[in-house]
Amino acid sequence: MKTFVDSPAVVVAGMPVGPFAMNQYLVGCTVTGTAAIIDAGASPDPFIAFAEARGLRIEAIFQTHAHIDHVAGLAATRARLAAPIHLHPADAPLYANCSAQGAMMGFPCPPPPPVDASLADGQVLALGNLRFEVLHTPGHAPGHVVLWERGQQLAFVGDLIFFDSIGRTDLPLCDGEQMERSLGKLAATLPDETRLFPGHMQATTMGRERSHNPFLKMMGLA
Ligand SMILES: [Zn+2]
Ligand SMILES: [Zn+2]
């Protein structure tokens, strides 16, 4: 487990999990001891151990989207934690179809438990003193969201944008035009200082991607 942020207000830790090296994160309010898992791709054990060592309680599971690499750990996670699963409803078809995704992608996914809470664009999720603004960013997946903590200048961006890259748009239910609009929305909303924690590869910042990301340049968003 790597610790990315450790301040008097917030802790962010994570590790790549599963066959696609999906970055699973834990984010916590260090003042109230309230924490959430972002994208339950695999066993919760290292995240629970990290939370216990830091005196944090995992009280929510926030899903950026419902691709198999991001949900394959939900059944195991809900078996250990009562934390509610949050997902945008537009990803319900992907969520319901995890075993077919698994067959297509070549790794098995136990059926995930029912979603507990729906995410919506513009919603603000409270986690202790932290406030995550939900940005609906479809394209890579219909119900893809970004979770932005404006005050702490950090965002969990799922598979929307990566270091020098962007998420795939060649999978079922992807939409390339929506993807371009969502990247435009991200670029128009997040300040340069915002640290981006993506679903794959290393963390980056909005400013770094604004000035270097070849896909944003190609789309005229750089
Ligand atoms: Zn994905
Ligand atoms: Zn992914």
Short mmCIF file of all heavy atoms in Angstrom, two decimals, residues 22 65 69-70 159 200, ligand 2:
data_model
loop_
_atom_site.label_atom_id
_atom_site.label_comp_id
_atom_site.label_asym_id
_atom_site.label_seq_id
_atom_site.Cartn_x
_atom_site.Cartn_y
_atom_site.Cartn_z
N MET A 22 -5.54 -2.36 -11.53
CA MET A 22 -6.47 -1.27 -11.23
C MET A 22 -6.08 -0.64 -9.90
O MET A 22 -5.86 -1.33 -8.92
CB MET A 22 -7.89 -1.84 -11.18
CG MET A 22 -9.01 -0.83 -11.22
SD MET A 22 -9.30 0.13 -9.72
CE MET A 22 -9.79 -1.13 -8.54
N HIS A 65 -16.93 3.75 -11.71
CA HIS A 65 -17.74 3.10 -12.74
C HIS A 65 -17.76 1.61 -12.46
O HIS A 65 -17.18 1.17 -11.46
CB HIS A 65 -17.24 3.44 -14.15
CG HIS A 65 -15.85 2.98 -14.50
ND1 HIS A 65 -14.73 3.38 -13.81
CD2 HIS A 65 -15.41 2.13 -15.48
CE1 HIS A 65 -13.66 2.82 -14.37
NE2 HIS A 65 -14.04 2.05 -15.37
N ASP A 69 -12.77 -4.67 -13.60
CA ASP A 69 -11.56 -4.51 -12.79
C ASP A 69 -11.80 -3.59 -11.59
O ASP A 69 -11.05 -3.62 -10.62
CB ASP A 69 -10.37 -4.01 -13.64
CG ASP A 69 -10.70 -2.83 -14.53
OD1 ASP A 69 -11.86 -2.71 -14.99
OD2 ASP A 69 -9.79 -2.02 -14.80
N HIS A 70 -12.88 -2.79 -11.64
CA HIS A 70 -13.19 -1.85 -10.56
C HIS A 70 -14.20 -2.40 -9.56
O HIS A 70 -14.37 -1.82 -8.49
CB HIS A 70 -13.69 -0.52 -11.15
CG HIS A 70 -12.66 0.14 -12.02
ND1 HIS A 70 -12.01 1.30 -11.65
CD2 HIS A 70 -12.13 -0.22 -13.21
CE1 HIS A 70 -11.14 1.63 -12.59
NE2 HIS A 70 -11.19 0.73 -13.56
N ASP A 159 -11.29 5.95 -14.91
CA ASP A 159 -10.64 5.69 -16.20
C ASP A 159 -10.96 6.79 -17.20
O ASP A 159 -10.97 6.57 -18.41
CB ASP A 159 -11.10 4.33 -16.76
CG ASP A 159 -10.53 3.16 -15.96
OD1 ASP A 159 -9.77 3.40 -15.00
OD2 ASP A 159 -10.86 2.01 -16.30
N HIS A 200 -5.73 3.68 -13.29
CA HIS A 200 -4.57 2.91 -13.76
C HIS A 200 -3.37 3.84 -13.86
O HIS A 200 -3.53 5.04 -14.11
CB HIS A 200 -4.85 2.27 -15.13
CG HIS A 200 -6.04 1.36 -15.13
ND1 HIS A 200 -5.98 0.02 -14.82
CD2 HIS A 200 -7.35 1.63 -15.34
CE1 HIS A 200 -7.20 -0.50 -14.87
NE2 HIS A 200 -8.05 0.45 -15.18
ZN ZN B 2 -10.13 0.23 -15.29
#
